[in-house]
Amino acid sequence: EVQLLEWGGGLVQPGGSLRLSCEASGFTFSNYAMGWVRQAPGKGLEWVSSISYDGAVAYDADSVKGRFFSSRDNYKNTLFLQINNLRADDTALYYCAKISTVSANFDYWGQGTLVTVSS
Amino acid sequence: DIQMTQSPSTLSASVGDRVTITCRASQRISNWLAWYQQKPGKAPKLLIYQASSLESGVPSRFSGSGSGTEFTLTISSLQPDDFATYYCQHYNSYSRTFGQGTKVEV
């Protein structure tokens, strides 16, 4: 069974940093691209970042470019999102998700980790 | 940047209704469009990809159509489990853009 477990969220002051983690199990993690999607409270979905199966290539949304960085450790089956210079509008539930090689879309999602940016 | 606009934002329907949600892209995107369903407190679920391909395990009452700039998600006979919010999403090799969502309610 595919499982994605995120952690690392929390309350952080504006300008602060966090590192989100997502541990994968139930599939060969190193074979799949992965991504991050966030959802502000009561709002819609926003794609944040995607990273290739080997971590060689990552793409980020314009809203986070230069502040958020995706990486992965294929030996530890773990995806990371380093988030820097946080702003109030970064407050959201952050989901990690697996990208299907068939559909090229997010076919499995974690339960999300909440990031709250507030002073 | 490509913008995705869904209509309506909210849709009131009853069990058994045929429901159609529209998604428009700000420029032509071929058929690089997916649909997701999200229920309160849950992660989204992929329903449709490449505009009209049904994801494995998704009931056949869900269907997608369209290409270019206009797309539709149709639920042929709404079931109690289908009351949720639906999102379209454009995708390519380097970015993804979601629509703002359509809430299907009683």
Side-chain angles (χ1 to χ4, degrees):
Chain A
E1 179 191 3
V2 172
Q3 291 192 341
L4 298 169
L5 179 63
E6 305 99 329
W7 72 92
L11 175 63
V12 61
Q13 292 187 339
S17 297
L18 280 175
R19 189 194 201 199
L20 308 184
S21 301
C22 171
E23 184 173 6
S25 60
F27 66 102
T28 305
F29 180 71
S30 58
N31 287 353
Y32 293 91
M34 300 289 294
W36 292 94
V37 175
R38 69 183 180 181
Q39 187 167 36
K43 302 297 184 183
L45 302 172
E46 180 186 14
W47 170 73
V48 172
S49 179
S50 297
I51 186 167
S52 61
Y53 70 98
D54 59 358
V57 180
Y59 298 105
D60 306 309
D62 287 345
S63 59
V64 306
K65 205 164 288 185
R67 298 188 301 123
F68 288 20
F69 302 93
S70 290
S71 62
R72 62 192 294 163
D73 183 337
N74 283 347
Y75 294 104
K76 295 184 178 179
N77 292 342
T78 303
L79 176 71
F80 302 102
L81 183 67
Q82 178 68 40
I83 49 180
N84 300 324
N85 193 19
L86 280 158
R87 312 184 304 219
D89 63 358
D90 294 319
T91 294
L93 186 65
Y94 285 74
Y95 293 102
C96 76
K98 169 183 168 289
I99 297 174
S100 164
T101 54
V102 173
S103 70
N105 279 281
F106 300 119
D107 60 348
Y108 288 93
W109 299 63
Q111 84 293 344
T113 186
L114 181 63
V115 173
T116 303
V117 184
S118 175
S119 55
Chain B
D1 290 356
I2 295 173
Q3 308 299 320
M4 307 302 294
T5 303
Q6 291 181 230
S7 61
S9 296
T10 305
L11 188 159
S12 296
S14 301
V15 172
D17 285 352
R18 181 181 181 88
V19 168
T20 299
I21 298 168
T22 298
C23 177
R24 290 185 173 88
S26 60
Q27 57 187 273
R28 295 184 65 83
I29 60 170
S30 184
N31 63 347
W32 299 114
L33 187 97
W35 290 96
Y36 292 84
Q37 175 195 67
Q38 187 181 33
K39 297 179 181 179
K42 300 294 186 182
K45 174 186 176 182
L46 178 64
L47 301 175
I48 302 282
Y49 61 95
Q50 214 164 330
S52 60
S53 296
L54 195 66
E55 174 72 352
S56 176
V58 174
S60 58
R61 63 181 179 271
F62 291 93
S63 64
S65 65
S67 68
T69 62
E70 188 155 334
F71 303 85
T72 59
L73 172 70
T74 299
I75 309 172
S76 61
S77 178
L78 196 67
Q79 298 302 300
D81 192 47
D82 301 337
F83 291 97
T85 299
Y86 294 84
Y87 295 91
C88 64
Q89 178 218 262
H90 163 56
Y91 60 101
N92 57 31
S93 59
Y94 56 87
S95 77
R96 298 165 188 272
T97 306
F98 287 95
Q100 82 278 15
T102 295
K103 183 177 182 180
V104 177
E105 61 182 22
V106 177

